[in-house]
Short mmCIF file of all heavy atoms in Angstrom, two decimals:
data_model
loop_
_atom_site.label_atom_id
_atom_site.label_comp_id
_atom_site.label_asym_id
_atom_site.label_seq_id
_atom_site.Cartn_x
_atom_site.Cartn_y
_atom_site.Cartn_z
N MET A 1096 15.56 -8.13 -2.71
CA MET A 1096 14.32 -8.39 -1.98
C MET A 1096 13.13 -7.65 -2.65
O MET A 1096 13.24 -6.52 -3.04
CB MET A 1096 14.54 -7.87 -0.56
CG MET A 1096 13.30 -8.12 0.34
SD MET A 1096 13.58 -7.43 1.96
CE MET A 1096 11.90 -7.04 2.42
N VAL A 1097 12.05 -8.37 -2.70
CA VAL A 1097 10.81 -7.79 -3.29
C VAL A 1097 10.05 -7.02 -2.24
O VAL A 1097 9.91 -7.46 -1.12
CB VAL A 1097 9.92 -8.93 -3.83
CG1 VAL A 1097 8.67 -8.37 -4.47
CG2 VAL A 1097 10.68 -9.77 -4.84
N ASP A 1098 9.61 -5.85 -2.60
CA ASP A 1098 8.78 -5.08 -1.68
C ASP A 1098 7.49 -5.81 -1.40
O ASP A 1098 6.95 -6.51 -2.25
CB ASP A 1098 8.45 -3.69 -2.31
CG ASP A 1098 9.66 -2.78 -2.25
OD1 ASP A 1098 10.69 -3.16 -1.71
OD2 ASP A 1098 9.54 -1.65 -2.79
N LYS A 1099 6.98 -5.63 -0.20
CA LYS A 1099 5.70 -6.23 0.19
C LYS A 1099 4.64 -5.22 0.34
O LYS A 1099 4.92 -4.05 0.61
CB LYS A 1099 5.89 -7.07 1.42
CG LYS A 1099 6.77 -8.26 1.18
CD LYS A 1099 6.88 -9.14 2.38
CE LYS A 1099 7.71 -10.35 1.97
NZ LYS A 1099 8.03 -11.19 3.07
N ALA A 1100 3.42 -5.67 0.21
CA ALA A 1100 2.28 -4.76 0.41
C ALA A 1100 1.45 -5.25 1.56
O ALA A 1100 1.28 -6.44 1.79
CB ALA A 1100 1.42 -4.74 -0.88
N CYS A 1101 0.93 -4.29 2.33
CA CYS A 1101 0.07 -4.62 3.44
C CYS A 1101 -1.31 -5.02 2.91
O CYS A 1101 -1.92 -4.30 2.09
CB CYS A 1101 -0.08 -3.39 4.34
SG CYS A 1101 -1.24 -3.60 5.67
N LYS A 1102 -1.82 -6.15 3.39
CA LYS A 1102 -3.12 -6.60 2.91
C LYS A 1102 -4.26 -5.71 3.44
O LYS A 1102 -5.34 -5.70 2.86
CB LYS A 1102 -3.38 -8.03 3.40
CG LYS A 1102 -2.61 -9.07 2.64
CD LYS A 1102 -3.09 -10.44 3.07
CE LYS A 1102 -2.24 -11.53 2.51
NZ LYS A 1102 -2.70 -12.85 2.94
N LYS A 1103 -4.03 -5.07 4.54
CA LYS A 1103 -5.11 -4.28 5.11
C LYS A 1103 -5.19 -2.85 4.50
O LYS A 1103 -6.27 -2.42 4.17
CB LYS A 1103 -4.94 -4.18 6.63
CG LYS A 1103 -5.23 -5.50 7.28
CD LYS A 1103 -5.34 -5.32 8.79
CE LYS A 1103 -5.77 -6.65 9.44
NZ LYS A 1103 -5.66 -6.60 10.90
N CYS A 1104 -4.07 -2.17 4.43
CA CYS A 1104 -4.18 -0.78 3.96
C CYS A 1104 -3.43 -0.56 2.64
O CYS A 1104 -3.45 0.54 2.14
CB CYS A 1104 -3.64 0.17 5.04
SG CYS A 1104 -1.86 0.09 5.31
N ARG A 1105 -2.82 -1.67 2.08
CA ARG A 1105 -2.18 -1.59 0.76
C ARG A 1105 -0.85 -0.85 0.72
O ARG A 1105 -0.28 -0.64 -0.38
CB ARG A 1105 -3.13 -1.01 -0.29
CG ARG A 1105 -4.37 -1.79 -0.53
CD ARG A 1105 -5.34 -0.98 -1.38
NE ARG A 1105 -6.58 -1.68 -1.59
CZ ARG A 1105 -6.89 -2.32 -2.73
NH1 ARG A 1105 -6.05 -2.34 -3.72
NH2 ARG A 1105 -8.00 -2.93 -2.84
N LEU A 1106 -0.42 -0.32 1.81
CA LEU A 1106 0.85 0.37 1.83
C LEU A 1106 1.97 -0.55 1.43
O LEU A 1106 1.99 -1.71 1.81
CB LEU A 1106 1.09 0.92 3.25
CG LEU A 1106 2.25 1.88 3.45
CD1 LEU A 1106 2.00 3.18 2.74
CD2 LEU A 1106 2.42 2.15 4.95
N ILE A 1107 2.89 -0.05 0.63
CA ILE A 1107 4.01 -0.87 0.19
C ILE A 1107 5.20 -0.67 1.15
O ILE A 1107 5.55 0.45 1.47
CB ILE A 1107 4.39 -0.57 -1.25
CG1 ILE A 1107 3.24 -1.03 -2.16
CG2 ILE A 1107 5.72 -1.22 -1.66
CD1 ILE A 1107 3.38 -0.65 -3.60
N ILE A 1108 5.71 -1.79 1.59
CA ILE A 1108 6.74 -1.78 2.63
C ILE A 1108 8.02 -2.38 2.07
O ILE A 1108 8.02 -3.48 1.54
CB ILE A 1108 6.27 -2.64 3.83
CG1 ILE A 1108 5.06 -1.94 4.45
CG2 ILE A 1108 7.37 -2.81 4.86
CD1 ILE A 1108 3.87 -2.86 4.67
N SER A 1109 9.11 -1.62 2.06
CA SER A 1109 10.32 -2.08 1.49
C SER A 1109 11.23 -2.76 2.51
O SER A 1109 12.21 -3.46 2.15
CB SER A 1109 11.08 -0.92 0.79
OG SER A 1109 11.21 0.14 1.63
N GLU A 1110 11.01 -2.56 3.76
CA GLU A 1110 11.78 -3.25 4.78
C GLU A 1110 11.00 -3.50 6.05
O GLU A 1110 10.04 -2.80 6.32
CB GLU A 1110 13.10 -2.50 5.11
CG GLU A 1110 12.87 -1.08 5.54
CD GLU A 1110 14.24 -0.39 5.78
OE1 GLU A 1110 15.10 -0.47 4.89
OE2 GLU A 1110 14.37 0.26 6.80
N GLY A 1111 11.37 -4.55 6.76
CA GLY A 1111 10.66 -4.92 7.97
C GLY A 1111 9.49 -5.83 7.70
O GLY A 1111 9.18 -6.14 6.55
N HIS A 1112 8.83 -6.25 8.76
CA HIS A 1112 7.76 -7.21 8.65
C HIS A 1112 6.44 -6.67 9.22
O HIS A 1112 5.46 -7.41 9.34
CB HIS A 1112 8.13 -8.52 9.29
CG HIS A 1112 9.35 -9.14 8.73
ND1 HIS A 1112 9.35 -9.77 7.49
CD2 HIS A 1112 10.59 -9.19 9.16
CE1 HIS A 1112 10.56 -10.21 7.22
NE2 HIS A 1112 11.36 -9.84 8.23
N VAL A 1113 6.45 -5.44 9.59
CA VAL A 1113 5.25 -4.81 10.15
C VAL A 1113 4.91 -3.59 9.34
O VAL A 1113 5.79 -2.80 9.01
CB VAL A 1113 5.47 -4.45 11.61
CG1 VAL A 1113 4.21 -3.81 12.21
CG2 VAL A 1113 5.90 -5.68 12.45
N CYS A 1114 3.66 -3.42 9.07
CA CYS A 1114 3.24 -2.24 8.31
C CYS A 1114 3.27 -1.00 9.20
O CYS A 1114 2.69 -0.99 10.26
CB CYS A 1114 1.78 -2.42 7.83
SG CYS A 1114 1.07 -0.97 7.11
N PRO A 1115 4.01 0.04 8.75
CA PRO A 1115 4.11 1.25 9.57
C PRO A 1115 2.82 2.06 9.57
O PRO A 1115 2.58 2.92 10.40
CB PRO A 1115 5.29 2.04 8.92
CG PRO A 1115 5.33 1.54 7.56
CD PRO A 1115 4.81 0.10 7.56
N GLY A 1116 1.92 1.74 8.63
CA GLY A 1116 0.67 2.47 8.53
C GLY A 1116 -0.39 1.99 9.50
O GLY A 1116 -1.07 2.74 10.13
N CYS A 1117 -0.50 0.68 9.63
CA CYS A 1117 -1.58 0.12 10.48
C CYS A 1117 -1.12 -0.94 11.43
O CYS A 1117 -1.93 -1.56 12.08
CB CYS A 1117 -2.73 -0.41 9.58
SG CYS A 1117 -2.28 -1.88 8.65
N ASN A 1118 0.18 -1.15 11.48
CA ASN A 1118 0.79 -2.16 12.40
C ASN A 1118 0.38 -3.58 12.10
O ASN A 1118 0.54 -4.46 12.94
CB ASN A 1118 0.46 -1.84 13.84
CG ASN A 1118 1.20 -0.59 14.30
OD1 ASN A 1118 2.35 -0.35 13.92
ND2 ASN A 1118 0.53 0.25 15.08
N SER A 1119 -0.13 -3.84 10.91
CA SER A 1119 -0.51 -5.21 10.53
C SER A 1119 0.75 -5.98 10.14
O SER A 1119 1.71 -5.43 9.61
CB SER A 1119 -1.46 -5.15 9.37
OG SER A 1119 -1.65 -6.44 8.86
N THR A 1120 0.74 -7.27 10.38
CA THR A 1120 1.84 -8.10 9.95
C THR A 1120 1.41 -8.95 8.75
O THR A 1120 2.11 -9.83 8.34
CB THR A 1120 2.31 -9.04 11.09
OG1 THR A 1120 1.20 -9.73 11.62
CG2 THR A 1120 2.97 -8.21 12.21
N GLU A 1121 0.22 -8.69 8.24
CA GLU A 1121 -0.27 -9.43 7.10
C GLU A 1121 0.21 -8.78 5.82
O GLU A 1121 -0.47 -7.97 5.20
CB GLU A 1121 -1.81 -9.47 7.10
CG GLU A 1121 -2.36 -10.36 8.20
CD GLU A 1121 -3.87 -10.39 8.11
OE1 GLU A 1121 -4.41 -10.70 7.06
OE2 GLU A 1121 -4.50 -10.11 9.16
N LEU A 1122 1.41 -9.16 5.41
CA LEU A 1122 2.01 -8.58 4.24
C LEU A 1122 2.09 -9.64 3.16
O LEU A 1122 2.12 -10.85 3.40
CB LEU A 1122 3.43 -8.11 4.56
CG LEU A 1122 3.58 -7.22 5.81
CD1 LEU A 1122 5.03 -6.82 5.98
CD2 LEU A 1122 2.71 -6.00 5.75
N THR A 1123 2.08 -9.18 1.93
CA THR A 1123 2.16 -10.13 0.81
C THR A 1123 3.06 -9.56 -0.30
O THR A 1123 3.16 -8.35 -0.47
CB THR A 1123 0.74 -10.41 0.24
OG1 THR A 1123 0.91 -11.32 -0.87
CG2 THR A 1123 0.07 -9.12 -0.26
N ASP A 1124 3.69 -10.47 -0.99
CA ASP A 1124 4.45 -9.98 -2.17
C ASP A 1124 3.73 -10.24 -3.45
O ASP A 1124 4.21 -10.02 -4.54
CB ASP A 1124 5.87 -10.59 -2.21
CG ASP A 1124 5.86 -12.10 -2.20
OD1 ASP A 1124 4.78 -12.72 -2.39
OD2 ASP A 1124 6.95 -12.70 -2.03
N LYS A 1125 2.50 -10.70 -3.30
CA LYS A 1125 1.66 -10.96 -4.50
C LYS A 1125 0.76 -9.76 -4.82
O LYS A 1125 -0.47 -9.82 -4.65
CB LYS A 1125 0.81 -12.23 -4.27
CG LYS A 1125 1.67 -13.45 -4.18
CD LYS A 1125 0.82 -14.70 -4.17
CE LYS A 1125 1.67 -15.92 -4.28
NZ LYS A 1125 2.69 -16.00 -3.23
N TRP A 1126 1.40 -8.70 -5.24
CA TRP A 1126 0.68 -7.51 -5.60
C TRP A 1126 1.20 -7.04 -6.96
O TRP A 1126 2.28 -7.42 -7.39
CB TRP A 1126 0.83 -6.42 -4.55
CG TRP A 1126 2.25 -6.04 -4.30
CD1 TRP A 1126 3.12 -6.60 -3.41
CD2 TRP A 1126 3.01 -4.98 -4.91
NE1 TRP A 1126 4.34 -5.98 -3.45
CE2 TRP A 1126 4.30 -5.00 -4.37
CE3 TRP A 1126 2.70 -4.06 -5.93
CZ2 TRP A 1126 5.28 -4.09 -4.81
CZ3 TRP A 1126 3.67 -3.16 -6.32
CH2 TRP A 1126 4.95 -3.19 -5.78
N SER A 1127 0.39 -6.24 -7.63
CA SER A 1127 0.87 -5.72 -8.91
C SER A 1127 0.39 -4.27 -9.07
O SER A 1127 -0.69 -3.89 -8.61
CB SER A 1127 0.32 -6.54 -10.05
OG SER A 1127 -1.09 -6.47 -10.12
N SER A 1128 1.21 -3.52 -9.68
CA SER A 1128 1.05 -2.08 -9.92
C SER A 1128 0.79 -1.27 -8.65
O SER A 1128 0.12 -1.71 -7.74
CB SER A 1128 0.02 -1.77 -10.99
OG SER A 1128 -1.28 -2.11 -10.60
N TYR A 1129 1.33 -0.11 -8.63
CA TYR A 1129 1.18 0.76 -7.44
C TYR A 1129 0.94 2.18 -7.82
O TYR A 1129 1.19 2.59 -8.99
CB TYR A 1129 2.41 0.61 -6.52
CG TYR A 1129 3.68 1.20 -7.09
CD1 TYR A 1129 4.01 2.54 -6.91
CD2 TYR A 1129 4.54 0.39 -7.82
CE1 TYR A 1129 5.17 3.08 -7.45
CE2 TYR A 1129 5.72 0.93 -8.36
CZ TYR A 1129 6.02 2.26 -8.15
OH TYR A 1129 7.19 2.75 -8.69
N VAL A 1130 0.45 2.93 -6.88
CA VAL A 1130 0.33 4.37 -7.09
C VAL A 1130 1.05 5.07 -5.96
O VAL A 1130 1.16 4.52 -4.86
CB VAL A 1130 -1.15 4.83 -7.10
CG1 VAL A 1130 -1.87 4.34 -8.33
CG2 VAL A 1130 -1.88 4.34 -5.83
N VAL A 1131 1.54 6.27 -6.25
CA VAL A 1131 2.16 7.07 -5.20
C VAL A 1131 1.17 8.16 -4.83
O VAL A 1131 0.73 8.93 -5.70
CB VAL A 1131 3.49 7.67 -5.69
CG1 VAL A 1131 4.10 8.54 -4.58
CG2 VAL A 1131 4.49 6.58 -6.04
N VAL A 1132 0.79 8.21 -3.60
CA VAL A 1132 -0.14 9.20 -3.09
C VAL A 1132 0.62 10.32 -2.39
O VAL A 1132 1.37 10.05 -1.43
CB VAL A 1132 -1.19 8.57 -2.16
CG1 VAL A 1132 -2.09 9.62 -1.53
CG2 VAL A 1132 -2.02 7.53 -2.91
N PHE A 1133 0.47 11.54 -2.89
CA PHE A 1133 1.12 12.66 -2.23
C PHE A 1133 0.18 13.40 -1.30
O PHE A 1133 0.56 13.84 -0.23
CB PHE A 1133 1.69 13.65 -3.26
CG PHE A 1133 2.78 13.07 -4.11
CD1 PHE A 1133 2.56 12.62 -5.39
CD2 PHE A 1133 4.07 12.97 -3.57
CE1 PHE A 1133 3.56 12.08 -6.15
CE2 PHE A 1133 5.08 12.42 -4.33
CZ PHE A 1133 4.84 11.98 -5.62
N ASP A 1134 -1.07 13.54 -1.76
CA ASP A 1134 -2.04 14.27 -1.01
C ASP A 1134 -3.34 13.50 -0.99
O ASP A 1134 -4.16 13.64 -1.86
CB ASP A 1134 -2.24 15.66 -1.65
CG ASP A 1134 -3.02 16.60 -0.77
OD1 ASP A 1134 -3.70 16.11 0.19
OD2 ASP A 1134 -2.98 17.81 -0.99
N PRO A 1135 -3.55 12.68 0.05
CA PRO A 1135 -4.69 11.81 0.10
C PRO A 1135 -6.03 12.60 0.11
O PRO A 1135 -7.05 12.11 -0.37
CB PRO A 1135 -4.56 11.08 1.45
CG PRO A 1135 -3.17 11.31 1.86
CD PRO A 1135 -2.67 12.53 1.21
N GLU A 1136 -6.02 13.78 0.59
CA GLU A 1136 -7.21 14.62 0.64
C GLU A 1136 -7.71 14.99 -0.77
O GLU A 1136 -8.90 15.09 -0.99
CB GLU A 1136 -6.95 15.92 1.40
CG GLU A 1136 -6.54 15.72 2.84
CD GLU A 1136 -7.73 15.38 3.73
OE1 GLU A 1136 -8.71 16.10 3.72
OE2 GLU A 1136 -7.68 14.33 4.43
N LYS A 1137 -6.78 15.19 -1.66
CA LYS A 1137 -7.16 15.67 -2.99
C LYS A 1137 -7.07 14.62 -4.07
O LYS A 1137 -7.48 14.85 -5.20
CB LYS A 1137 -6.24 16.85 -3.36
CG LYS A 1137 -6.51 18.07 -2.53
CD LYS A 1137 -5.52 19.19 -2.86
CE LYS A 1137 -5.71 20.37 -1.92
NZ LYS A 1137 -4.55 21.25 -1.92
N SER A 1138 -6.56 13.48 -3.73
CA SER A 1138 -6.33 12.44 -4.74
C SER A 1138 -7.55 11.48 -4.85
O SER A 1138 -7.96 10.89 -3.90
CB SER A 1138 -5.10 11.63 -4.38
OG SER A 1138 -5.04 10.47 -5.16
N GLU A 1139 -8.09 11.39 -6.08
CA GLU A 1139 -9.20 10.49 -6.32
C GLU A 1139 -8.83 9.04 -6.14
O GLU A 1139 -9.54 8.23 -5.58
CB GLU A 1139 -9.78 10.70 -7.72
CG GLU A 1139 -10.55 11.99 -7.91
CD GLU A 1139 -11.77 12.07 -6.95
OE1 GLU A 1139 -12.46 11.05 -6.81
OE2 GLU A 1139 -11.97 13.12 -6.38
N ILE A 1140 -7.64 8.72 -6.63
CA ILE A 1140 -7.17 7.34 -6.50
C ILE A 1140 -6.97 6.95 -5.03
O ILE A 1140 -7.26 5.86 -4.62
CB ILE A 1140 -5.90 7.06 -7.36
CG1 ILE A 1140 -5.55 5.58 -7.38
CG2 ILE A 1140 -4.70 7.86 -6.88
CD1 ILE A 1140 -6.16 4.79 -8.51
N ALA A 1141 -6.53 7.91 -4.23
CA ALA A 1141 -6.34 7.67 -2.83
C ALA A 1141 -7.68 7.33 -2.16
O ALA A 1141 -7.76 6.41 -1.34
CB ALA A 1141 -5.68 8.87 -2.15
N LYS A 1142 -8.72 8.05 -2.55
CA LYS A 1142 -10.03 7.77 -1.99
C LYS A 1142 -10.53 6.38 -2.42
O LYS A 1142 -11.10 5.64 -1.66
CB LYS A 1142 -11.04 8.83 -2.46
CG LYS A 1142 -10.86 10.13 -1.74
CD LYS A 1142 -11.73 11.22 -2.32
CE LYS A 1142 -11.30 12.60 -1.85
NZ LYS A 1142 -11.86 13.67 -2.65
N LYS A 1143 -10.24 6.08 -3.68
CA LYS A 1143 -10.69 4.82 -4.23
C LYS A 1143 -10.06 3.62 -3.54
O LYS A 1143 -10.74 2.62 -3.25
CB LYS A 1143 -10.32 4.79 -5.74
CG LYS A 1143 -11.09 3.81 -6.54
CD LYS A 1143 -10.76 4.03 -8.02
CE LYS A 1143 -11.23 2.82 -8.82
NZ LYS A 1143 -10.81 2.95 -10.22
N ILE A 1144 -8.79 3.71 -3.23
CA ILE A 1144 -8.15 2.61 -2.59
C ILE A 1144 -8.11 2.73 -1.06
O ILE A 1144 -7.65 1.86 -0.36
CB ILE A 1144 -6.69 2.41 -3.10
CG1 ILE A 1144 -5.78 3.60 -2.78
CG2 ILE A 1144 -6.70 2.09 -4.63
CD1 ILE A 1144 -4.34 3.39 -3.14
N GLY A 1145 -8.63 3.83 -0.56
CA GLY A 1145 -8.72 3.99 0.89
C GLY A 1145 -7.47 4.47 1.57
O GLY A 1145 -7.27 4.25 2.75
N ALA A 1146 -6.59 5.12 0.80
CA ALA A 1146 -5.31 5.59 1.38
C ALA A 1146 -5.59 6.87 2.20
O ALA A 1146 -6.27 7.77 1.76
CB ALA A 1146 -4.32 5.90 0.26
N LYS A 1147 -5.03 6.85 3.42
CA LYS A 1147 -5.26 8.01 4.29
C LYS A 1147 -3.98 8.79 4.61
O LYS A 1147 -4.05 9.86 5.17
CB LYS A 1147 -5.91 7.56 5.59
CG LYS A 1147 -7.34 7.05 5.38
CD LYS A 1147 -7.96 6.60 6.68
CE LYS A 1147 -9.41 6.21 6.51
NZ LYS A 1147 -9.57 5.06 5.63
N ALA A 1148 -2.87 8.23 4.19
CA ALA A 1148 -1.60 8.93 4.44
C ALA A 1148 -0.80 8.88 3.14
O ALA A 1148 -0.96 7.99 2.33
CB ALA A 1148 -0.85 8.26 5.55
N PRO A 1149 0.11 9.86 2.94
CA PRO A 1149 0.95 9.83 1.76
C PRO A 1149 1.83 8.60 1.75
O PRO A 1149 2.23 8.11 2.80
CB PRO A 1149 1.81 11.12 1.90
CG PRO A 1149 1.08 11.99 2.86
CD PRO A 1149 0.36 11.03 3.77
N GLY A 1150 2.09 8.10 0.56
CA GLY A 1150 2.92 6.88 0.47
C GLY A 1150 2.70 6.14 -0.82
O GLY A 1150 1.99 6.59 -1.72
N LYS A 1151 3.29 4.96 -0.90
CA LYS A 1151 3.21 4.13 -2.09
C LYS A 1151 2.22 3.02 -1.80
O LYS A 1151 2.36 2.33 -0.79
CB LYS A 1151 4.58 3.56 -2.35
CG LYS A 1151 5.00 3.47 -3.80
CD LYS A 1151 6.49 3.26 -3.85
CE LYS A 1151 6.85 1.90 -4.38
NZ LYS A 1151 8.29 1.66 -4.48
N TYR A 1152 1.23 2.86 -2.62
CA TYR A 1152 0.16 1.87 -2.36
C TYR A 1152 -0.01 0.91 -3.51
O TYR A 1152 0.01 1.31 -4.68
CB TYR A 1152 -1.18 2.55 -2.10
CG TYR A 1152 -1.21 3.33 -0.80
CD1 TYR A 1152 -0.73 4.65 -0.74
CD2 TYR A 1152 -1.69 2.77 0.35
CE1 TYR A 1152 -0.74 5.38 0.41
CE2 TYR A 1152 -1.69 3.47 1.57
CZ TYR A 1152 -1.20 4.78 1.60
OH TYR A 1152 -1.19 5.46 2.75
N ALA A 1153 -0.24 -0.35 -3.20
CA ALA A 1153 -0.50 -1.35 -4.20
C ALA A 1153 -1.95 -1.18 -4.69
O ALA A 1153 -2.87 -0.99 -3.92
CB ALA A 1153 -0.32 -2.73 -3.61
N VAL A 1154 -2.10 -1.26 -6.02
CA VAL A 1154 -3.45 -1.16 -6.58
C VAL A 1154 -4.15 -2.50 -6.55
O VAL A 1154 -5.33 -2.62 -6.21
CB VAL A 1154 -3.39 -0.63 -8.03
CG1 VAL A 1154 -4.78 -0.59 -8.64
CG2 VAL A 1154 -2.79 0.79 -8.05
N ARG A 1155 -3.40 -3.55 -6.86
CA ARG A 1155 -3.99 -4.90 -6.86
C ARG A 1155 -3.22 -5.81 -5.90
O ARG A 1155 -1.99 -5.87 -5.96
CB ARG A 1155 -3.90 -5.51 -8.25
CG ARG A 1155 -4.96 -4.97 -9.16
CD ARG A 1155 -4.98 -5.80 -10.40
NE ARG A 1155 -5.67 -5.12 -11.47
CZ ARG A 1155 -5.55 -5.43 -12.73
NH1 ARG A 1155 -4.72 -6.39 -13.09
NH2 ARG A 1155 -6.23 -4.78 -13.64
N ILE A 1156 -3.96 -6.47 -5.06
CA ILE A 1156 -3.36 -7.46 -4.14
C ILE A 1156 -3.97 -8.81 -4.46
O ILE A 1156 -5.18 -8.95 -4.44
CB ILE A 1156 -3.53 -7.07 -2.70
CG1 ILE A 1156 -2.66 -5.83 -2.39
CG2 ILE A 1156 -3.15 -8.21 -1.76
CD1 ILE A 1156 -2.76 -5.28 -0.98
N LYS A 1157 -3.13 -9.77 -4.78
CA LYS A 1157 -3.68 -11.10 -5.12
C LYS A 1157 -3.72 -12.07 -3.95
O LYS A 1157 -4.48 -12.96 -3.92
CB LYS A 1157 -2.80 -11.71 -6.21
CG LYS A 1157 -2.81 -10.95 -7.50
CD LYS A 1157 -1.73 -11.48 -8.45
CE LYS A 1157 -1.42 -10.54 -9.59
NZ LYS A 1157 -0.11 -10.76 -10.14
N GLY A 1158 -2.77 -11.84 -3.02
CA GLY A 1158 -2.66 -12.83 -1.96
C GLY A 1158 -3.51 -12.47 -0.76
O GLY A 1158 -3.10 -12.44 0.31
ZN1 ZN B 1272 -1.12 -1.55 6.64
#
């Protein structure tokens, strides 16, 4: 199974159909490359993509 990314917050979800970050059901498997955010407060990339919690985030979402 391919991991899916949330279209709203970009969080990558490996199981289930609801995003645990924002409760959105708008998930897509059309994403490429990801970043792992450990500390959203200190991470520049986290600010850039709007990540507010630690986790794995898709950098590009096509769908
Ligand atoms: Zn989400």
Side-chain angles (χ1 to χ4, degrees):
M1096 182 183 150
V1097 181
D1098 285 357
K1099 292 185 176 172
C1101 174
K1102 284 189 189 180
K1103 288 191 175 170
C1104 70
R1105 297 170 182 257
L1106 190 66
I1107 292 172
I1108 295 129
S1109 53
E1110 55 183 48
H1112 301 286
V1113 180
C1114 171
C1117 68
N1118 291 321
S1119 170
T1120 53
E1121 289 182 53
L1122 311 180
T1123 179
D1124 56 11
K1125 293 190 173 54
W1126 57 273
S1127 64
S1128 67
Y1129 67 89
V1130 290
V1131 178
V1132 174
F1133 293 102
D1134 191 343
E1136 299 283 307
K1137 291 176 186 163
S1138 168
E1139 286 300 318
I1140 188 90
K1142 285 174 194 163
K1143 200 172 164 186
I1144 64 174
K1147 290 181 176 64
K1151 219 163 113 178
Y1152 291 85
V1154 176
R1155 282 190 197 163
I1156 290 178
K1157 296 169 196 158

